[in-house]
Amino acid sequence: MKMENHVQNFKCPFCEGEMKKGYIQSGTRLAWVPRVSKAIIEPSFIKDSVLLSKQSRFLVSNVDAYLCERCKKVVLDYS
């Protein structure tokens, strides 16, 4: 299920509050990593990492994200 198809009424899975559509963006690639690295390292070099955005040397990386201001949670779509 693509979240963008449900933007108007997307409810927070934690508190059922209304979520706002937006983006998480960065000057580098975005990744989920199983542990925090002590050194600045390319996320794809970390074992078991999941890249959330495409690599681009000239563009800002971003993924769709939905923000719940009530419970301070973010749900993102990296498809």
Coordinates of all heavy atoms in Angstrom, one line a residue:
M1 N 0.8 -1.2 0.0 CA 0.0 0.0 0.0 C 0.9 1.2 0.0 O 1.7 1.4 0.9 CB -0.9 0.0 1.2 CG -1.6 1.3 1.5 SD -2.7 1.3 2.9 CE -1.6 1.3 4.3
K2 N 0.7 2.1 -1.0 CA 1.5 3.3 -1.1 C 0.8 4.3 -0.2 O -0.4 4.5 -0.2 CB 1.5 3.9 -2.5 CG 2.4 3.1 -3.4 CD 3.8 3.4 -3.2 CE 4.2 4.8 -3.8 NZ 5.5 5.1 -3.6
M3 N 1.5 5.0 0.7 CA 1.0 5.9 1.7 C 0.4 7.1 1.0 O -0.5 7.7 1.4 CB 2.0 6.3 2.7 CG 2.2 5.2 3.7 SD 3.2 5.8 5.1 CE 4.8 5.9 4.5
E4 N 1.0 7.5 -0.2 CA 0.6 8.8 -0.8 C -0.9 8.7 -1.3 O -1.5 9.7 -1.5 CB 1.5 9.1 -2.0 CG 1.5 8.1 -3.1 CD 2.8 8.2 -4.0 OE1 3.7 8.9 -3.6 OE2 2.8 7.6 -5.0
N5 N -1.4 7.5 -1.5 CA -2.8 7.3 -1.9 C -3.7 7.6 -0.7 O -4.9 7.7 -0.9 CB -3.0 5.9 -2.3 CG -2.3 5.6 -3.6 OD1 -1.9 6.5 -4.4 ND2 -1.9 4.3 -3.8
H6 N -3.2 7.7 0.5 CA -4.1 8.0 1.6 C -3.7 9.2 2.4 O -3.9 9.3 3.6 CB -3.9 6.8 2.6 CG -4.3 5.5 1.9 ND1 -5.6 5.1 1.8 CD2 -3.6 4.5 1.4 CE1 -5.6 3.9 1.1 NE2 -4.4 3.6 0.9
V7 N -3.1 10.2 1.7 CA -2.6 11.4 2.3 C -3.6 12.2 3.1 O -3.4 12.6 4.2 CB -1.9 12.3 1.3 CG1 -1.5 13.6 1.9 CG2 -0.7 11.6 0.7
Q8 N -4.8 12.3 2.5 CA -5.9 13.1 3.1 C -6.2 12.6 4.5 O -6.5 13.4 5.4 CB -7.1 13.2 2.3 CG -6.9 13.8 0.9 CD -6.5 15.2 1.0 OE1 -5.6 15.6 1.7 NE2 -7.2 16.1 0.2
N9 N -6.3 11.3 4.8 CA -6.8 10.8 6.0 C -5.8 9.8 6.6 O -6.1 8.9 7.3 CB -8.1 10.1 5.8 CG -9.2 11.0 5.4 OD1 -9.3 12.1 5.9 ND2 -9.9 10.7 4.4
F10 N -4.5 10.1 6.5 CA -3.5 9.2 7.0 C -3.4 9.4 8.5 O -3.1 10.4 9.0 CB -2.1 9.4 6.3 CG -1.1 8.3 6.6 CD1 -1.3 7.0 6.1 CD2 0.0 8.5 7.4 CE1 -0.4 6.0 6.4 CE2 0.9 7.5 7.7 CZ 0.7 6.3 7.2
K11 N -3.7 8.3 9.2 CA -3.7 8.4 10.7 C -2.4 7.7 11.2 O -1.9 6.8 10.7 CB -4.9 7.6 11.2 CG -6.2 8.1 10.8 CD -6.6 9.4 11.4 CE -7.9 9.9 11.0 NZ -8.2 11.2 11.4
C12 N -2.0 8.3 12.3 CA -0.8 7.8 13.0 C -1.0 6.4 13.5 O -2.0 6.1 14.2 CB -0.4 8.7 14.1 SG 1.0 8.2 15.1
P13 N -0.1 5.5 13.2 CA -0.3 4.1 13.7 C -0.1 4.0 15.2 O -0.4 2.9 15.8 CB 0.7 3.3 12.9 CG 1.8 4.3 12.5 CD 1.1 5.6 12.4
F14 N 0.4 5.0 15.9 CA 0.7 4.9 17.3 C -0.4 5.5 18.1 O -0.8 5.0 19.1 CB 2.0 5.6 17.6 CG 3.2 5.0 16.9 CD1 3.7 5.5 15.7 CD2 3.8 3.9 17.5 CE1 4.7 4.9 15.1 CE2 4.9 3.3 16.9 CZ 5.4 3.8 15.6
C15 N -0.9 6.7 17.7 CA -1.9 7.4 18.5 C -3.2 7.7 17.8 O -4.1 8.3 18.3 CB -1.3 8.7 19.1 SG -1.2 10.0 17.8
E16 N -3.3 7.4 16.5 CA -4.5 7.6 15.6 C -4.7 9.1 15.3 O -5.7 9.5 14.8 CB -5.7 7.0 16.2 CG -5.7 5.5 16.4 CD -5.7 4.8 15.1 OE1 -6.4 5.2 14.2 OE2 -5.0 3.8 15.1
G17 N -3.7 9.9 15.6 CA -3.8 11.4 15.2 C -3.6 11.6 13.8 O -3.0 10.7 13.1
E18 N -3.9 12.7 13.3 CA -3.8 13.1 11.9 C -2.3 13.3 11.6 O -1.6 13.9 12.4 CB -4.5 14.3 11.5 CG -4.7 14.6 10.1 CD -5.6 13.7 9.3 OE1 -6.5 13.1 9.9 OE2 -5.3 13.4 8.1
M19 N -1.8 12.8 10.5 CA -0.4 13.0 10.1 C -0.3 13.9 8.9 O -1.2 14.0 8.1 CB 0.2 11.6 9.7 CG 0.3 10.6 10.9 SD 1.3 9.2 10.6 CE 2.9 9.9 11.2
K20 N 0.8 14.7 8.9 CA 1.1 15.6 7.8 C 2.1 15.0 6.9 O 3.1 14.5 7.3 CB 1.7 16.9 8.4 CG 0.7 17.7 9.2 CD 1.5 19.0 9.7 CE 0.5 19.9 10.5 NZ 1.2 21.1 10.9
K21 N 1.8 15.1 5.6 CA 2.8 14.7 4.6 C 3.9 15.7 4.4 O 3.7 16.9 4.4 CB 2.1 14.4 3.2 CG 3.1 13.8 2.2 CD 2.4 13.6 0.9 CE 3.3 12.8 0.0 NZ 4.4 13.5 -0.6
G22 N 5.1 15.2 4.3 CA 6.3 16.0 4.0 C 7.4 15.1 3.6 O 7.2 14.1 3.0
Y23 N 8.6 15.5 3.9 CA 9.8 14.8 3.4 C 10.9 14.8 4.5 O 11.0 15.7 5.3 CB 10.4 15.4 2.1 CG 9.3 15.5 1.1 CD1 8.5 16.7 1.0 CD2 9.1 14.5 0.2 CE1 7.5 16.8 0.1 CE2 8.1 14.6 -0.7 CZ 7.3 15.8 -0.8 OH 6.3 15.9 -1.7
I24 N 11.7 13.8 4.5 CA 13.0 13.8 5.2 C 14.0 14.0 4.1 O 14.0 13.3 3.1 CB 13.2 12.4 5.9 CG1 12.1 12.1 6.9 CG2 14.6 12.4 6.6 CD1 12.1 13.0 8.1
Q25 N 14.9 15.0 4.3 CA 15.9 15.2 3.3 C 17.3 15.4 3.9 O 17.4 15.7 5.1 CB 15.5 16.4 2.4 CG 15.8 17.8 3.0 CD 15.5 18.9 2.0 OE1 14.6 18.8 1.2 NE2 16.3 19.9 2.0
S26 N 18.3 15.2 3.1 CA 19.6 15.2 3.5 C 20.5 15.5 2.3 O 20.2 15.3 1.2 CB 20.0 13.9 4.1 OG 21.4 13.9 4.4
G27 N 21.7 16.1 2.6 CA 22.7 16.3 1.6 C 23.5 15.0 1.2 O 24.2 15.0 0.3
T28 N 23.2 14.0 2.0 CA 23.8 12.7 1.7 C 22.7 11.6 1.6 O 21.6 11.9 1.8 CB 24.8 12.2 2.8 OG1 24.1 12.1 4.0 CG2 25.9 13.3 2.9
R29 N 23.1 10.4 1.3 CA 22.1 9.3 1.2 C 21.5 9.1 2.6 O 22.2 9.2 3.6 CB 22.7 8.0 0.8 CG 22.8 8.0 -0.7 CD 22.9 6.6 -1.2 NE 24.2 6.0 -1.0 CZ 24.6 4.8 -1.5 NH1 23.8 4.2 -2.3 NH2 25.8 4.4 -1.3
L30 N 20.3 8.7 2.6 CA 19.6 8.4 3.9 C 19.6 6.8 4.1 O 19.5 6.1 3.1 CB 18.1 8.8 3.9 CG 17.9 10.3 3.7 CD1 16.5 10.6 3.4 CD2 18.4 11.0 5.0
A31 N 19.8 6.4 5.3 CA 19.9 4.9 5.5 C 19.4 4.6 6.9 O 19.5 5.5 7.8 CB 21.3 4.4 5.4
W32 N 18.8 3.5 7.1 CA 18.5 2.9 8.4 C 19.7 2.0 8.7 O 20.2 1.2 7.8 CB 17.2 2.1 8.4 CG 17.0 1.4 9.7 CD1 16.3 1.8 10.7 CD2 17.5 0.1 10.1 NE1 16.3 0.9 11.7 CE2 17.1 -0.2 11.4 CE3 18.3 -0.9 9.5 CZ2 17.4 -1.3 12.1 CZ3 18.6 -2.1 10.2 CH2 18.1 -2.2 11.4
V33 N 20.3 2.2 9.9 CA 21.4 1.3 10.3 C 21.2 0.7 11.6 O 20.5 1.2 12.4 CB 22.8 2.2 10.4 CG1 23.2 2.7 9.0 CG2 22.6 3.3 11.3
P34 N 21.7 -0.5 11.8 CA 21.4 -1.3 13.0 C 22.1 -0.8 14.2 O 21.8 -1.1 15.4 CB 21.8 -2.7 12.7 CG 22.8 -2.6 11.6 CD 22.4 -1.4 10.8
R35 N 23.1 0.1 14.0 CA 23.9 0.7 15.1 C 24.5 2.0 14.7 O 24.7 2.2 13.5 CB 24.9 -0.3 15.6 CG 26.0 -0.5 14.6 CD 27.0 -1.7 14.9 NE 27.8 -2.0 13.8 CZ 27.4 -2.6 12.7 NH1 26.2 -2.9 12.5 NH2 28.3 -2.9 11.7
V36 N 24.7 2.9 15.6 CA 25.3 4.2 15.3 C 26.9 4.0 15.1 O 27.5 3.3 15.9 CB 25.1 5.2 16.4 CG1 25.8 6.5 16.2 CG2 23.6 5.4 16.5
S37 N 27.4 4.5 14.0 CA 28.8 4.5 13.8 C 29.5 5.6 14.5 O 29.0 6.7 14.5 CB 29.1 4.6 12.3 OG 30.5 4.6 12.0
K38 N 30.7 5.4 15.0 CA 31.5 6.5 15.7 C 32.2 7.4 14.7 O 32.6 8.4 15.0 CB 32.5 5.9 16.7 CG 31.8 5.2 17.8 CD 32.7 4.7 18.8 CE 32.0 4.0 20.0 NZ 32.9 3.4 20.9
A39 N 32.3 6.9 13.4 CA 33.0 7.6 12.4 C 32.0 7.9 11.3 O 31.0 7.3 11.1 CB 34.1 6.8 11.8
I40 N 32.3 9.0 10.5 CA 31.4 9.3 9.4 C 31.8 8.3 8.3 O 32.9 8.2 7.9 CB 31.7 10.7 8.9 CG1 31.4 11.8 9.9 CG2 30.9 11.0 7.6 CD1 31.8 13.2 9.6
I41 N 30.8 7.5 7.9 CA 31.0 6.4 7.0 C 29.8 6.3 6.1 O 28.7 6.6 6.4 CB 31.2 5.1 7.7 CG1 31.6 4.0 6.8 CG2 30.0 4.7 8.5 CD1 32.1 2.7 7.5
E42 N 30.1 6.0 4.8 CA 29.0 5.8 3.8 C 28.1 4.7 4.4 O 28.6 3.6 4.7 CB 29.6 5.4 2.5 CG 28.7 4.7 1.5 CD 27.5 5.6 1.1 OE1 27.7 6.8 1.0 OE2 26.4 5.0 0.9
P43 N 26.8 4.9 4.5 CA 25.8 4.0 5.1 C 25.9 2.6 4.4 O 25.7 1.6 5.1 CB 24.5 4.6 4.9 CG 24.7 6.0 4.7 CD 26.1 6.2 4.1
S44 N 26.1 2.5 3.1 CA 26.1 1.2 2.4 C 27.3 0.3 2.9 O 27.3 -0.9 2.6 CB 26.2 1.4 0.9 OG 27.3 2.0 0.5
F45 N 28.3 0.9 3.5 CA 29.4 0.1 4.0 C 29.1 -0.6 5.4 O 29.8 -1.4 5.9 CB 30.7 1.0 4.2 CG 31.2 1.5 2.9 CD1 31.9 2.7 2.9 CD2 31.1 0.8 1.7 CE1 32.4 3.3 1.7 CE2 31.6 1.4 0.5 CZ 32.2 2.6 0.6
I46 N 28.0 -0.1 6.0 CA 27.6 -0.7 7.3 C 26.8 -2.0 7.1 O 25.8 -2.0 6.4 CB 26.8 0.3 8.2 CG1 27.7 1.6 8.4 CG2 26.4 -0.3 9.5 CD1 26.9 2.7 9.1
K47 N 27.3 -3.1 7.7 CA 26.6 -4.3 7.5 C 25.1 -4.2 8.0 O 24.8 -3.6 9.0 CB 27.3 -5.4 8.4 CG 26.7 -6.8 8.1 CD 27.4 -7.8 9.0 CE 26.8 -9.2 8.6 NZ 26.8 -10.1 9.6
D48 N 24.2 -4.8 7.2 CA 22.8 -4.9 7.4 C 22.1 -3.5 7.3 O 21.0 -3.4 7.8 CB 22.5 -5.5 8.8 CG 23.0 -6.9 8.9 OD1 22.9 -7.7 7.9 OD2 23.4 -7.3 10.0
S49 N 22.7 -2.5 6.7 CA 22.1 -1.2 6.6 C 21.0 -1.3 5.4 O 21.1 -2.2 4.6 CB 23.1 -0.1 6.2 OG 23.7 -0.4 5.0
V50 N 20.0 -0.5 5.5 CA 19.0 -0.4 4.5 C 19.0 1.0 3.9 O 18.7 2.0 4.6 CB 17.6 -0.7 5.0 CG1 16.5 -0.6 4.0 CG2 17.6 -2.1 5.6
L51 N 19.3 1.2 2.6 CA 19.4 2.5 2.0 C 17.9 2.9 1.8 O 17.1 2.2 1.2 CB 20.2 2.5 0.7 CG 21.6 2.2 0.9 CD1 22.3 2.1 -0.5 CD2 22.3 3.2 1.8
L52 N 17.6 4.2 2.2 CA 16.3 4.7 2.1 C 16.1 5.7 0.9 O 15.0 6.0 0.5 CB 15.9 5.4 3.4 CG 16.0 4.6 4.6 CD1 15.7 5.4 5.9 CD2 15.1 3.3 4.6
S53 N 17.2 6.1 0.4 CA 17.2 7.0 -0.8 C 18.3 6.7 -1.8 O 19.2 6.0 -1.5 CB 17.4 8.5 -0.3 OG 18.7 8.6 0.2
K54 N 18.1 7.2 -3.0 CA 19.0 6.9 -4.1 C 20.3 7.8 -3.9 O 20.2 8.8 -3.3 CB 18.4 7.2 -5.4 CG 17.3 6.3 -5.7 CD 16.6 6.7 -7.0 CE 15.4 5.8 -7.3 NZ 14.7 6.2 -8.5
Q55 N 21.4 7.3 -4.4 CA 22.6 8.1 -4.3 C 22.6 9.1 -5.4 O 22.3 8.9 -6.5 CB 23.8 7.2 -4.4 CG 25.1 8.0 -4.3 CD 26.4 7.1 -4.3 OE1 26.3 5.9 -4.3 NE2 27.5 7.7 -4.2
S56 N 23.0 10.3 -5.0 CA 23.2 11.4 -6.0 C 24.2 12.4 -5.5 O 24.1 12.8 -4.4 CB 21.9 12.2 -6.2 OG 22.1 13.3 -7.1
R57 N 25.2 12.6 -6.3 CA 26.3 13.6 -5.9 C 25.8 15.0 -6.1 O 26.4 15.9 -5.5 CB 27.5 13.3 -6.8 CG 28.2 12.0 -6.5 CD 29.4 11.9 -7.3 NE 30.2 10.7 -6.9 CZ 31.2 10.7 -6.1 NH1 31.7 11.8 -5.6 NH2 31.8 9.6 -5.8
F58 N 24.8 15.3 -6.9 CA 24.4 16.6 -7.2 C 23.0 17.1 -6.7 O 22.7 18.2 -6.8 CB 24.5 16.9 -8.7 CG 25.9 16.5 -9.2 CD1 26.1 15.4 -10.0 CD2 27.0 17.3 -8.9 CE1 27.3 15.0 -10.4 CE2 28.2 17.0 -9.4 CZ 28.4 15.8 -10.2
L59 N 22.2 16.1 -6.2 CA 20.9 16.4 -5.7 C 20.7 16.1 -4.3 O 21.4 15.2 -3.7 CB 19.9 15.6 -6.6 CG 19.9 15.9 -8.1 CD1 18.9 14.9 -8.7 CD2 19.5 17.3 -8.4
V60 N 19.8 16.7 -3.6 CA 19.5 16.4 -2.2 C 18.7 15.1 -2.2 O 17.8 14.9 -3.0 CB 18.6 17.6 -1.6 CG1 18.1 17.2 -0.3 CG2 19.4 18.9 -1.6
S61 N 19.0 14.2 -1.3 CA 18.3 13.0 -1.1 C 17.0 13.3 -0.3 O 17.0 14.1 0.7 CB 19.1 12.0 -0.3 OG 20.3 11.6 -1.1
N62 N 15.9 12.6 -0.6 CA 14.7 12.8 0.2 C 13.8 11.5 0.0 O 13.9 10.8 -0.9 CB 13.9 14.0 -0.2 CG 13.4 14.0 -1.6 OD1 12.5 13.2 -1.9 ND2 14.0 14.7 -2.5
V63 N 13.0 11.3 1.0 CA 12.0 10.3 1.0 C 10.7 10.9 1.6 O 10.7 11.8 2.4 CB 12.4 9.0 1.9 CG1 13.5 8.3 1.2 CG2 12.7 9.4 3.3
D64 N 9.5 10.4 1.1 CA 8.3 10.8 1.6 C 8.2 10.5 3.1 O 8.6 9.4 3.5 CB 7.1 10.1 0.9 CG 7.0 10.6 -0.6 OD1 7.7 11.5 -1.0 OD2 6.1 10.0 -1.2
A65 N 7.6 11.4 3.9 CA 7.5 11.1 5.3 C 6.2 11.8 5.8 O 5.8 12.8 5.3 CB 8.7 11.7 6.1
Y66 N 5.7 11.1 6.9 CA 4.4 11.6 7.5 C 4.7 11.8 8.9 O 5.2 11.0 9.7 CB 3.3 10.5 7.2 CG 3.2 10.3 5.8 CD1 4.0 9.5 5.1 CD2 2.2 11.0 5.1 CE1 3.8 9.3 3.7 CE2 2.0 10.8 3.7 CZ 2.9 10.0 3.0 OH 2.7 9.8 1.7
L67 N 4.4 13.1 9.4 CA 4.7 13.5 10.7 C 3.5 13.6 11.6 O 2.4 14.1 11.2 CB 5.3 14.9 10.6 CG 5.5 15.7 11.9 CD1 6.8 15.1 12.6 CD2 5.7 17.2 11.6
C68 N 3.6 13.0 12.8 CA 2.5 13.2 13.8 C 3.0 14.1 14.9 O 4.0 13.8 15.6 CB 2.2 11.8 14.5 SG 0.9 12.0 15.7
E69 N 2.5 15.3 14.9 CA 2.9 16.3 15.9 C 2.4 15.9 17.3 O 3.0 16.4 18.3 CB 2.4 17.7 15.5 CG 3.1 18.2 14.3 CD 2.7 19.6 13.9 OE1 1.4 19.8 13.8 OE2 3.5 20.4 13.6
R70 N 1.4 15.2 17.4 CA 0.9 14.8 18.7 C 1.8 13.9 19.5 O 2.1 14.1 20.6 CB -0.5 14.1 18.6 CG -1.1 13.7 19.9 CD -2.3 12.8 19.8 NE -3.4 13.5 19.1 CZ -4.5 12.8 18.8 NH1 -4.7 11.6 19.0 NH2 -5.5 13.5 18.2
C71 N 2.3 12.8 18.8 CA 3.1 11.9 19.6 C 4.6 11.9 19.1 O 5.4 11.1 19.5 CB 2.6 10.4 19.5 SG 2.7 9.7 17.9
K72 N 4.9 12.9 18.2 CA 6.3 13.1 17.8 C 6.9 11.9 17.1 O 8.1 11.5 17.3 CB 7.2 13.5 19.0 CG 6.7 14.6 19.8 CD 6.6 15.9 19.1 CE 6.2 17.0 20.0 NZ 5.5 18.0 19.3
K73 N 6.1 11.3 16.2 CA 6.6 10.1 15.4 C 6.6 10.5 14.0 O 5.8 11.3 13.5 CB 5.7 8.9 15.6 CG 5.5 8.4 17.0 CD 6.6 7.6 17.5 CE 6.2 7.0 18.8 NZ 7.3 6.9 19.7
V74 N 7.5 9.9 13.2 CA 7.6 10.0 11.7 C 7.5 8.6 11.1 O 8.2 7.7 11.5 CB 8.9 10.7 11.3 CG1 9.0 10.8 9.8 CG2 9.0 12.1 11.9
V75 N 6.6 8.5 10.1 CA 6.5 7.3 9.3 C 7.0 7.6 7.9 O 6.6 8.7 7.4 CB 5.1 6.8 9.3 CG1 4.9 5.6 8.4 CG2 4.6 6.4 10.7
L76 N 7.9 6.8 7.4 CA 8.4 7.2 6.0 C 8.2 6.0 5.0 O 8.1 4.9 5.4 CB 9.8 7.7 6.1 CG 10.9 6.8 6.7 CD1 11.5 5.9 5.6 CD2 11.9 7.7 7.3
D77 N 8.2 6.5 3.8 CA 8.0 5.5 2.7 C 9.2 5.6 1.8 O 9.5 6.6 1.2 CB 6.8 5.9 1.9 CG 6.4 5.0 0.7 OD1 7.2 4.0 0.5 OD2 5.5 5.3 0.0
Y78 N 10.0 4.5 1.8 CA 11.2 4.6 1.0 C 11.1 3.7 -0.3 O 12.1 3.3 -0.8 CB 12.5 4.2 1.8 CG 12.6 2.8 2.3 CD1 13.4 1.9 1.7 CD2 11.9 2.4 3.5 CE1 13.5 0.6 2.2 CE2 12.0 1.1 4.0 CZ 12.8 0.2 3.3 OH 12.9 -1.1 3.8
S79 N 9.9 3.5 -0.7 CA 9.7 2.6 -2.0 C 10.1 3.4 -3.2 O 10.3 4.6 -3.2 CB 8.3 2.2 -2.1 OG 7.4 3.3 -2.2

